[in-house]
Amino acid sequence: MRTSVRVPVGAGLAALLLAAGAVGCSKGDGSESPRMTPAAAVAKAAKNADDIDSIRYRMTGKVPENGRVEAEARTRIKPTFAMSMKMTAPDQGAAGTAEFRLVDKAVYIGGGPEAAKEMDGKSWIKIDLSELGMDEKVNKLIGASQAADKNPATESTFLTWSKDVEKVGTETVEGVKTTHYKGTVALADLEKSIGDEDEVVREERQKSLDRYEKMGADKLVMDMWVDGDDQTKQFRMRADADKGPLDLTFTFFGVNEPVEVAAPPAAEVADLAEMRKGAQQG
């Protein structure tokens, strides 16, 4: 049995982290306070992410090196954290399809038939977060994003640091009337914004910045579609990177709906820790 599977793990987990603290949709009518400036409207929508218990969303776009990506995902934040994402990277061929589940302090990565060929018929890899010392960190991150006075340290809040945020107009997204805002965010300005946040939130924000800097990007072009309840219905981020364009759009379909995530059948799962032990003994 091999100890690796060719699935877009990096892109998938990055997308999961990106969306974990993103804001969700609601039933607003697209109305907007005439006294609210574009910057204030964006800040209010970002802040409202704190009240979300669960979200369901779609992600489409391009990421450097992996090319096109498409995903459908569900995330439960309270009372316990869980995620489920089905992701496809069309430009990666058969190895570009994978499913991710985070439940009961473990991450399961499913690669389908391609993965089964490399793992004696097992199509899922299990990564125990407690063995990696990550379970407590995940708990702290979720707690910080829900309890902090300021916005969660996710890319969905970066538009609040734009110096040129503006209202584009009123648009309908998936049948919901929204107000479209747009702005450019320099990574240097985001770097300066890291300061008095919670330690875990600050660490996650720094990791996000480091990821973009490694891509060779120096700024992000961001769009946000906000509904009449001051919630984000859609969010887009773009950047010119050294290894190709970054262009991701998140569209939200549900907020605070029941989300159940189950671990795959045990017979279909290969435990990464056991695989490593076997490799060491070998």
Side-chain angles (χ1 to χ4, degrees):
M1 182 184 295
R2 302 180 186 177
T3 57
S4 64
V5 181
R6 294 184 59 208
V7 295
V9 178
L13 293 182
L16 288 173
L17 292 174
L18 175 67
V23 287
C25 69
S26 60
K27 61 181 186 301
D29 60 4
S31 59
E32 178 188 31
S33 171
R35 297 182 180 180
M36 189 174 294
T37 65
V42 166
K44 187 172 184 179
K47 177 88 175 154
N48 282 341
D50 295 347
D51 298 326
I52 291 176
D53 294 339
S54 62
I55 54 175
R56 181 169 55 88
Y57 57 92
R58 177 181 67 220
M59 180 190 75
T60 59
K62 295 181 179 180
V63 294
E65 297 186 286
N66 287 311
R68 293 173 295 159
V69 292
E70 303 169 359
E72 296 280 345
R74 299 173 297 148
T75 298
R76 184 181 69 224
I77 301 172
K78 296 177 182 178
T80 57
F81 191 74
M83 291 182 184
S84 175
M85 172 183 278
K86 293 182 179 180
M87 181 177 180
T88 301
D91 297 333
Q92 300 299 310
T97 299
E99 183 174 350
F100 302 85
R101 298 183 192 178
L102 193 162
V103 59
D104 297 331
K105 297 183 179 181
V107 173
Y108 296 87
I109 305 173
E114 288 297 314
K117 293 178 182 178
E118 302 183 24
M119 299 191 301
D120 297 340
K122 298 182 183 295
S123 56
W124 292 84
I125 288 180
K126 176 184 178 181
I127 303 175
D128 192 323
L129 298 180
S130 61
E131 292 187 6
L132 297 178
M134 293 177 61
D135 57 333
E136 186 63 26
K137 182 175 181 181
V138 170
N139 291 336
K140 286 182 178 180
L141 177 59
I142 299 306
S145 69
Q146 293 302 307
D149 292 333
K150 297 186 178 181
N151 297 320
T154 60
E155 286 85 341
S156 64
T157 67
F158 284 178
L159 187 54
T160 61
W161 295 97
S162 172
K163 296 180 180 179
D164 61 358
V165 62
E166 62 180 357
K167 176 181 174 180
V168 177
T170 301
E171 302 173 13
T172 299
V173 178
E174 298 292 338
V176 176
K177 294 181 180 179
T178 68
T179 302
H180 180 186
Y181 299 96
K182 181 179 180 179
T184 302
V185 184
L187 294 188
D189 290 336
L190 289 175
E191 191 83 38
K192 295 176 183 177
S193 73
I194 302 176
D196 58 349
E197 304 282 5
D198 176 275
E199 180 181 355
V200 177
V201 173
R202 185 168 61 247
E203 181 180 345
E204 291 304 315
R205 176 172 287 185
Q206 185 62 60
K207 286 183 178 180
S208 293
L209 293 178
D210 292 343
R211 185 165 62 246
Y212 294 125
E213 290 174 351
K214 289 180 180 179
M215 289 182 186
D218 58 2
K219 66 179 180 181
L220 301 173
V221 177
M222 312 188 82
D223 294 79
M224 185 179 284
W225 288 260
V226 181
D227 69 17
D229 288 334
D230 301 312
Q231 298 275 12
T232 298
K233 175 63 179 176
Q234 188 165 272
F235 175 74
R236 184 184 184 187
M237 58 186 306
R238 289 167 286 165
D240 292 325
D242 292 343
K243 297 181 179 180
L246 171 70
D247 188 345
L248 291 176
T249 297
F250 293 84
T251 306
F252 303 96
F253 299 97
V255 60
N256 295 338
E257 298 176 348
V259 171
E260 298 297 331
V261 180
E268 301 176 11
V269 177
D271 192 300
L272 181 61
E274 296 179 0
M275 293 167 65
R276 286 178 172 174
K277 289 180 181 179
Q280 292 174 351
Q281 292 175 354

